[in-house]
Amino acid sequence: MLVKQGKQWKSMCKGLVLGTLLTSCMILLYCLSAPQVQFSVPEVPVPYSCAHRPSRVRAMTVSNTSQNAQGMCTPKVDIMFMKTHKTASSTLINILLRFGEKHRLKFAFPDSRNDFFYPSPFQRSQVKDYRPGMCFNIICNHMRFNEPEVVKLLPADTTYITILRDPAELFESSFHYFGRLAPLTWKISAEDKLTEFLQDPSYYFDPEGFNSFYLKNLLFFDFGYDNTLEPDDPRVEKSIQAIAKRFQLVMLVEHFEESLILLKDTLCWEMDDVLFFKLNARKGSTVSKLTPELRAKALQWNGVDWKLYQHFNATFWQKVDVYGRERMARDVAELRRRNEEMAAICIEGGRAVEASSIQDTAMQPWQPIGEKSILGYNLKKNIDKRHRKLCRKMLTPELQYLTELGVNLWITRLWGHVRDIINW
């Protein structure tokens, strides 16, 4: 009896210590991460293009976006990637970081953390070392899109791209990954919290709740709009049209390889530029399999995102038709073949492994609170010199890559230490 009481007291003390520490750290993080006070920024025009040197020109067999009258195109280096949540965006940002580093482009990075003070709307002043009139080629970190501020930061010839995911699958992923950060989910007592939530979402959801945006129409929220609107609200269609007008390419997670071929075509890049390994993937045992009933409930709850996705699913296939279905099939097959070759060269065992099996701690991906569900890779030993650097770049997790490029992530890393303590 005394032993049992001793264990209970020990557990209570541990919880009290962790709770106090977590609360203190969260208050500190909030103070440090709060949106910066915005002062009037002088309006200095950004040059039309921020390409730092003439780019190579290459011939295009057929092109739908970047071809000139002679069938030639110039690779584009001024790029805005709207990094949406849980949409394979970590894989895409790796592609952009590699391209930018290879060509010595200027990134617009955040300062002190790996996002632009999300979920606050983006402000130019959040960019590391920003001065009015500066030239930046690429911006690709998480932000809540704020078009007036973005267009004042980037040159007029910037290509805007983004990526969407089926809203039901995105909701499942977001609920799993961010659920512990949204107190609205803490009162769900059922073992299957996702199913319980979807049975009556309005019972658990409070639009004013802390981090509630992770639980409803997250895509629409990321684009800077009100995620609590109803799908038939006229403002939803107006917002979708605004997105369509601004973004030259909207990719789809479910057709990732086709998306990369369209990206390559839009930017006039080479196949080498879009080779990839899937980063930040979850192990299968943590993925909730949505029944048809739950999927329907998830789509109804995220009705605005579903309307957004349906619109750009249609425009995506229109672009594929213009590109050519047979040509697309050939290029996707070539991309897969090249990726398989790189996997055989770079990856020990040829596949992703659980976090506990990653030998190099520097290759550990960021994990959600309470578990280690994100897979990573082991780099092969004795890779030939020609591929060694590329292999490591392709396999490096996002935070480590940003650090290598000089981004100060001290707030992100402080939160990482808090997360590790919580997992104690």
Side-chain angles (χ1 to χ4, degrees):
M1 184 68 178
L2 290 176
V3 174
K4 185 177 180 180
Q5 288 181 336
K7 289 183 178 179
Q8 290 176 338
W9 276 106
K10 182 178 180 181
S11 177
M12 289 175 61
C13 290
K14 178 181 176 181
L16 182 61
V17 170
L18 288 177
T20 302
L21 182 60
L22 174 60
T23 302
S24 300
C25 289
M26 289 301 291
I27 292 173
L28 175 62
L29 282 172
Y30 177 81
C31 294
L32 294 172
S33 305
Q36 301 162 341
V37 176
Q38 301 300 319
F39 299 99
S40 178
V41 179
E43 298 296 336
V44 179
V46 179
Y48 175 81
S49 174
C50 289
H52 62 286
R53 64 178 184 278
S55 302
R56 67 185 185 276
V57 176
R58 69 182 182 90
M60 297 287 286
T61 305
V62 181
S63 179
N64 63 333
T65 54
S66 46
Q67 182 181 5
N68 63 21
Q70 288 73 41
M72 309 294 288
C73 71
T74 301
K76 297 185 179 181
V77 298
D78 296 332
I79 302 160
M80 191 282 158
F81 173 52
M82 175 57 203
K83 189 177 190 290
T84 49
H85 284 85
K86 313 312 297 174
T87 56
S89 57
S90 292
T91 301
L92 274 166
I93 199 175
N94 182 273
I95 291 172
L96 292 169
L97 294 179
R98 286 179 1 233
F99 182 87
E101 186 179 20
K102 176 182 177 181
H103 296 282
R104 300 181 182 178
L105 303 179
K106 177 71 172 175
F107 288 96
F109 282 135
D111 197 9
S112 75
R113 47 192 273 182
N114 61 309
D115 61 44
F116 289 103
F117 291 83
Y118 184 90
S120 300
F122 173 78
Q123 300 290 335
R124 285 170 289 161
S125 58
Q126 296 164 352
V127 174
K128 183 177 183 292
D129 301 326
Y130 171 75
R131 294 189 305 278
M134 286 185 68
C135 258
F136 292 100
N137 300 109
I138 299 176
I139 188 167
C140 55
N141 291 80
H142 274 307
M143 68 166 68
R144 189 168 185 215
F145 191 63
N146 181 10
E147 183 173 4
E149 282 292 294
V150 173
V151 298
K152 291 176 183 177
L153 173 77
L154 301 174
D157 74 342
T158 296
T159 301
Y160 287 71
I161 59 177
T162 190
I163 186 166
L164 305 180
R165 183 180 183 182
D166 178 287
E169 301 298 328
L170 184 144
F171 176 78
E172 184 279 328
S173 181
S174 178
F175 192 95
H176 171 85
Y177 196 90
F178 299 113
R180 290 179 176 87
L181 295 176
L184 295 174
T185 68
W186 296 356
K187 62 180 178 181
I188 303 176
S189 58
E191 183 176 346
D192 188 345
K193 291 179 179 290
L194 175 67
T195 297
E196 179 67 22
F197 181 92
L198 285 175
Q199 295 306 322
D200 188 7
S202 58
Y203 175 76
Y204 295 104
F205 184 77
D206 175 3
E208 302 301 322
F210 182 70
N211 282 344
S212 65
F213 53 86
Y214 286 126
L215 303 177
K216 186 176 178 65
N217 295 317
L218 180 56
L219 290 172
F220 205 63
F221 183 86
D222 280 353
F223 281 105
Y225 299 112
D226 182 355
N227 63 320
T228 65
L229 297 177
E230 294 298 321
D232 57 357
D233 190 306
R235 289 171 290 179
V236 172
E237 181 61 31
K238 183 178 179 180
S239 300
I240 291 174
Q241 293 304 321
I243 295 169
K245 182 178 179 181
R246 170 52 62 188
F247 287 83
Q248 287 91 331
L249 177 63
V250 178
M251 298 173 280
L252 302 177
V253 171
E254 291 73 25
H255 304 283
F256 192 70
E257 290 155 325
E258 291 89 345
S259 293
L260 288 182
I261 298 303
L262 291 181
L263 177 70
K264 179 179 77 71
D265 184 60
T266 300
L267 299 178
C268 190
W269 285 7
E270 305 283 354
M271 188 70 80
D272 282 346
D273 298 323
V274 295
L275 299 181
F276 73 96
F277 297 135
K278 189 175 181 180
L279 302 179
N280 261 27
R282 284 163 60 192
K283 60 182 180 181
S285 61
T286 67
V287 179
S288 301
K289 305 300 181 184
L290 295 176
T291 64
E293 179 187 6
L294 284 180
R295 174 176 168 78
K297 288 180 178 294
L299 290 179
Q300 182 180 15
W301 177 242
N302 296 277
V304 174
D305 274 2
W306 181 225
K307 189 171 184 177
L308 177 75
Y309 183 87
Q310 288 178 301
H311 176 92
F312 286 106
N313 180 64
T315 60
F316 179 87
W317 293 109
Q318 289 169 8
K319 289 180 182 293
V320 171
D321 285 335
V322 172
Y323 189 84
R325 296 273 180 148
E326 291 185 6
R327 180 184 174 209
M328 176 62 74
R330 290 195 303 270
D331 286 353
V332 166
E334 173 68 7
L335 177 60
R336 289 175 179 169
R337 183 186 67 79
R338 298 280 297 278
N339 279 334
E340 289 170 1
E341 287 179 355
M342 290 304 298
I345 292 170
C346 301
I347 302 173
E348 188 69 39
R351 60 182 179 84
V353 298
E354 294 189 20
S356 59
S357 299
I358 300 174
Q359 299 162 7
D360 185 351
T361 56
M363 302 295 282
Q364 286 276 359
W366 182 268
Q367 301 289 342
I369 292 177
E371 59 185 52
K372 291 190 174 182
S373 58
I374 305 300
L375 304 176
Y377 296 92
N378 284 314
L379 191 66
K380 262 190 175 180
K381 299 176 177 62
N382 303 318
I383 300 174
D384 65 88
K385 187 176 181 180
R386 184 164 64 97
H387 294 102
R388 193 176 305 150
K389 183 177 179 180
L390 176 59
C391 285
R392 188 165 191 90
K393 295 291 184 185
M394 290 181 70
L395 294 173
T396 298
E398 180 180 332
L399 297 186
Q400 289 90 317
Y401 207 147
L402 291 172
T403 300
E404 289 180 10
L405 293 176
V407 183
N408 183 353
L409 301 176
W410 72 272
I411 290 179
T412 299
R413 299 203 177 282
L414 177 59
W415 169 239
H417 293 313
V418 174
R419 179 205 59 187
D420 292 341
I421 293 172
I422 296 171
N423 292 342
W424 170 46

